[in-house]
Amino acid sequence: MPSDVVRVIYRKYDGSAHRDYPARRLAEDDLGVWLGVPFGTESVYHGRPSVEKIPFVLLVPHHAWWTCMFNPPPRTSEVYCDIATPARWESDETVHLIDLDLDVVRRRATGLVELLDEDEFAEHRARFGYPEDVVVEAEAAARWLYGALGDGTEPFATSYRKWLALVV
């Protein structure tokens, strides 16, 4: 039986801390593991203590090069996807991911889809020496998400709302 609480650990490619927080396991389906992060969750962001001011749901796909946060108002990003290495699960209680800088976001007010942090990706690619296969996978994931967030592909259209309702 999987644990109800999952520790989510994101690091950068060089191993430095990025994000670290507990989340509640909501479900697992063919898309991946759905995790809920309620208001007030204590977390670590870039090595510093933080508290989540707005709840969210995180989808950790089974084998994809991304994770996705689904956010309620007043957050301006309705959907925020991090390009990351595929999840590495340490038992059912901890998931490890390496954030690869690129983000794909859909804005709530306009539906505009944006690719963010290409400059950070290029900088870290050179500094950390991303292997070419990592670059290819990261860029392909960003392209796919850019289209999927804009064309009504699930779970990015509406199906995530049932999970988000459990944490807001």
Side-chain angles (χ1 to χ4, degrees):
M1 180 67 123
S3 171
D4 286 346
V5 177
V6 173
R7 182 175 173 201
V8 179
I9 302 171
Y10 285 88
R11 296 204 172 275
K12 288 296 192 175
Y13 198 82
D14 69 344
S16 61
H18 184 52
R19 291 193 308 256
D20 188 332
Y21 54 86
R24 184 168 46 103
R25 182 185 299 270
L26 302 175
E28 183 169 351
D29 59 20
D30 59 323
L31 296 168
V33 179
W34 294 87
L35 303 171
V37 180
F39 171 86
T41 297
E42 293 183 9
S43 62
V44 176
Y45 188 65
H46 292 291
R48 293 187 291 274
S50 183
V51 176
E52 297 300 329
K53 304 270 191 255
I54 300 173
F56 63 91
V57 167
L58 180 72
L59 173 59
V60 180
H62 293 297
H63 304 290
W65 284 73
W66 53 269
T67 60
C68 194
M69 291 173 42
F70 299 94
N71 304 306
R75 193 161 275 153
T76 60
S77 60
E78 177 183 18
V79 181
Y80 194 106
C81 300
D82 287 294
I83 304 304
T85 58
R88 181 178 60 80
W89 287 89
E90 181 183 319
S91 73
D92 288 326
E93 299 175 3
T94 306
V95 61
H96 297 270
L97 301 134
I98 298 174
D99 180 90
L100 295 171
D101 316 309
L102 295 172
D103 304 303
V104 182
V105 178
R106 185 174 66 220
R107 298 293 171 194
R108 180 177 317 285
T110 62
L112 177 68
V113 177
E114 300 173 279
L115 175 61
L116 305 178
D117 298 330
E118 291 176 281
D119 54 342
E120 183 181 357
F121 179 74
E123 176 189 330
H124 286 172
R125 178 182 181 181
R127 185 187 321 159
F128 302 148
Y130 293 172
E132 191 57 30
D133 62 322
V134 168
V135 171
V136 167
E137 293 288 356
E139 290 175 339
R143 280 191 306 276
W144 182 81
L145 285 166
Y146 191 88
L149 267 63
D151 71 8
T153 297
E154 292 292 1
F156 309 110
T158 61
S159 66
Y160 69 87
R161 292 180 183 159
K162 67 183 173 189
W163 306 119
L164 190 55
L166 297 176
V167 296
V168 287

